[in-house]
Amino acid sequence: MRFKWESDSPSTELTVFRQLTPDGLMSGLASQWMNPFVIIDSEVHRLWKETLVNLLDSACGVFTLSALEEEKSPGTLEALWETMAESGVKRDTCAVVIGGGLTCDVGALAASTFQRGLSLLLIPTTLLCMVDACLGGKTGINLRGLKNQVGSFHPADEILLFPEFLSTLPKREFRSGLAEALKTALIGDPSACSLIREISADSGLLDTAAELAVRCLAVKAGIVGEDLRESGTRMILNLGHTVGHALESIGSFALSHGEAVGLGLAAEASMAGELGGDRNLAREIQDMLEEIGLPFTIPEIPVLQDMADVLDHDKKSRRAARRWALPFGWGDCRIVELTPEQESSILPSALASLKA
Ligand SMILES: NC(=O)c1ccc[n+]([C@@H]2O[C@H](COP(=O)([O-])OP(=O)(O)OC[C@H]3O[C@@H](n4cnc5c(N)ncnc54)[C@H](O)[C@@H]3O)[C@@H](O)[C@H]2O)c1
C-alpha cells in the first residue's frame, strides 16, 4: 500500500509491509537509504535488533535513545549531533529513525539540523506514531518542562510501516495510539471508530491496525498537504492537544501523550458544547475512552491558574485571544478564538466534567 502527498516540502511516500524480516526490511529500502545514520528507541533496539541486524550493520553510526519525555531534551539533541559528527555523517548521509513519536520527534529534529538537513526515513514502531506522528514533518524537543518548545518542520522523505512492531508494544502504549486515532476519527473519518473498537478488543489484529493507520494518515495528509507550517487549517490537528498538553505538563508526564489527548478531547468537546456544539459529544467520547481502556476521568482537577500558566507558554497561543481546535460534532471540528474571559467562563466546567 502506498500513497504520496505533496506540499511545499519533499513528497512523502508511505509503504505498508506485512512481514518484518531482516531480508524483507532491507529489500523494502531504496538504495538511497543504504549506509545511513540510525536513531533507534533503546527498547525497540533490545527487542528487535536481530530482525534489524542487516540495517544496523550497514549503518555508519547508531544512536539509541530512551523514550522518556525527560530525554526529549536539548542534552539528547546535543549528544546526537556529537555522535553524528563522530560517525562521519555528511550532508548526503541519510537518517533512519526507528521508534515511537518521541524518537521520531527527536531524531527528525537532529536530521533537520545536522549539516542543515539530512534526508529522512521514518520507521514508526508504536501505534500512535503509525496513525499520526510519523507524518506531517513536526519535530521537537521539550524545554523547561513544556512540550515541544523547540522544533522544526522536516517531513520524512519516506515512511515504512511494519505493523508487526506492534506485537511487542505494551498495552498501555497501544491504547494511547487509539486515543490519537480517535482524534482523527473525530476530525475527518468518524467511521474509523469501528476499527478502533475492533483493535481495542484484540490488539493482535495487525492488519486492522495497519488499515487504521492508513485511514488516519490519509486524513492527516489531506490537512497537512494544504498547510504544512500550521498557519491555518492544520491547527485542527491540535484537537484535544491544548488541554492534553497542559494536563501532561501539569502532571509531570504521568499521563502518556495519548491518555492526555483522550482526556483533552472530552474536555474540549464539553467546551464546544457550551458554544453551541453537540452537548452529548463529551459523554460519547468519555464512553469510548472507557471502552478502549483509557483514562476517562482524572482524580485531581488542575486549578485554572495552573492551566492558564501552562497554556500561556503554549506555542499555539496568539496574543490576547487563544485559538482552540474544538469538536462541535463528529466530523465537525472548528478553529475558534476565545478571549481570556470566554476561556475562564467555559474551561473550569469542562475540566470539572472530567472529575472522577
Ligand atoms: N510529531 C508529531 O506530529 C507528533 C504527533 C503526536 C505525538 N508526538 C509525540 O510523540 C510522543 C509520544 O510517542 P508515542 O506514543 O509513539 O510513544 P513513545 O515514543 O513515547 O514510546 C512509548 C513507549 O513504547 C516503547 N516502544 C516503542 N515501540 C515499541 C515496540 N514496538 N515494542 C515495545 N515497546 C516499544 C518505548 O520504548 C516507550 O517506552 C510524544 O512526545 C508526543 O509529543 C508527535
Side-chain angles (χ1 to χ4, degrees):
M1 219 180 288
R2 264 167 192 268
F3 72 76
K4 269 191 165 197
W5 61 282
E6 309 283 342
S7 65
D8 65 346
S9 59
S11 66
T12 295
E13 274 200 44
L14 169 76
T15 315
V16 184
F17 292 90
R18 183 61 187 86
Q19 292 297 319
L20 176 54
T21 61
D23 292 340
L25 176 71
M26 290 310 274
S27 62
L29 290 181
S31 55
Q32 79 180 107
W33 305 115
M34 298 301 165
N35 195 30
F37 183 80
V38 173
I39 301 158
I40 180 168
D41 177 311
S42 54
E43 183 63 2
V44 174
H45 184 262
R46 187 182 72 77
L47 292 164
W48 290 92
K49 59 179 175 299
E50 276 85 34
T51 309
L52 298 171
V53 64
N54 295 345
L55 174 65
L56 295 172
D57 284 353
S58 78
C60 66
V62 176
F63 186 94
T64 55
L65 185 148
S66 306
L68 299 168
E69 286 293 332
E70 306 85 271
E71 297 292 321
K72 198 174 168 181
S73 66
T76 302
L77 188 62
E78 189 178 355
L80 250 165
W81 288 330
E82 291 288 348
T83 313
M84 290 167 121
E86 277 161 22
S87 307
V89 170
K90 308 255 177 347
R91 275 297 311 263
D92 60 354
T93 308
C94 60
V96 173
V97 184
I98 308 170
L102 194 145
T103 308
C104 289
D105 275 6
V106 182
L109 179 53
S112 86
T113 45
F114 195 81
Q115 303 268 334
R116 299 205 174 85
L118 309 176
S119 48
L120 176 66
L121 168 68
L122 294 182
I123 305 182
T125 62
T126 63
L127 184 61
L128 186 141
C129 198
M130 289 182 195
V131 300
D132 187 292
C134 66
L135 189 137
K138 278 191 180 179
T139 77
I141 51 170
N142 305 332
L143 194 68
R144 300 174 160 206
L146 296 168
K147 293 274 296 181
N148 303 328
Q149 294 295 294
V150 179
S152 61
F153 291 97
H154 190 66
D157 301 275
E158 194 168 353
I159 299 164
L160 303 185
L161 282 194
F162 292 94
E164 223 171 306
F165 277 119
L166 301 176
S167 63
T168 56
L169 191 68
K171 291 281 177 286
R172 182 180 178 199
E173 299 302 337
F174 200 90
R175 290 192 289 265
S176 284
L178 293 176
E180 198 84 52
L182 177 60
K183 174 200 84 171
T184 309
L186 262 165
I187 294 173
D189 189 355
S191 63
C193 283
S194 59
L195 295 179
I196 295 174
R197 287 200 169 91
E198 268 181 64
I199 311 168
S200 78
D202 181 356
S203 60
L205 296 173
L206 298 184
D207 287 333
T208 314
E211 191 187 338
L212 180 65
V214 171
R215 291 263 292 266
C216 290
L217 293 179
V219 172
K220 186 169 182 180
I223 295 167
V224 171
E226 276 178 24
D227 178 25
L228 177 73
R229 286 171 192 278
E230 199 173 288
S231 46
T233 47
R234 184 176 178 165
M235 287 191 72
I236 212 68
L237 292 171
N238 293 327
L239 198 76
H241 284 65
T242 306
V243 169
H245 277 168
L247 292 176
E248 253 185 299
S249 295
I250 290 170
S252 304
F253 304 114
L255 287 169
S256 75
H257 178 75
E259 289 168 350
V261 167
L263 289 163
L265 290 173
E268 292 175 9
S270 172
M271 290 170 73
E274 293 298 313
L275 299 169
D278 178 352
R279 284 187 174 275
N280 296 322
L281 186 60
R283 189 68 251 167
E284 282 173 35
I285 292 170
Q286 282 187 300
D287 289 347
M288 185 110 183
L289 296 175
E290 186 177 11
E291 191 180 332
I292 296 171
L294 282 159
F296 59 101
T297 57
I298 43 180
E300 278 294 316
I301 301 301
V303 288
L304 189 60
Q305 189 54 51
D306 288 348
M307 285 296 281
D309 288 349
V310 177
L311 292 175
D312 287 341
H313 284 95
D314 192 307
K315 63 192 181 318
K316 297 180 285 294
S317 307
R318 294 270 191 288
R319 289 176 234 102
R322 199 187 324 273
R323 285 201 221 169
W324 288 78
L326 296 179
F328 282 67
W330 290 97
D332 177 12
C333 298
R334 306 179 199 169
I335 297 160
V336 181
E337 286 217 347
L338 297 181
T339 61
E341 295 72 35
Q342 286 172 308
E343 266 178 21
S344 22
S345 91
I346 60 174
L347 185 54
S349 57
L351 292 171
S353 70
L354 298 177
K355 180 90 179 81

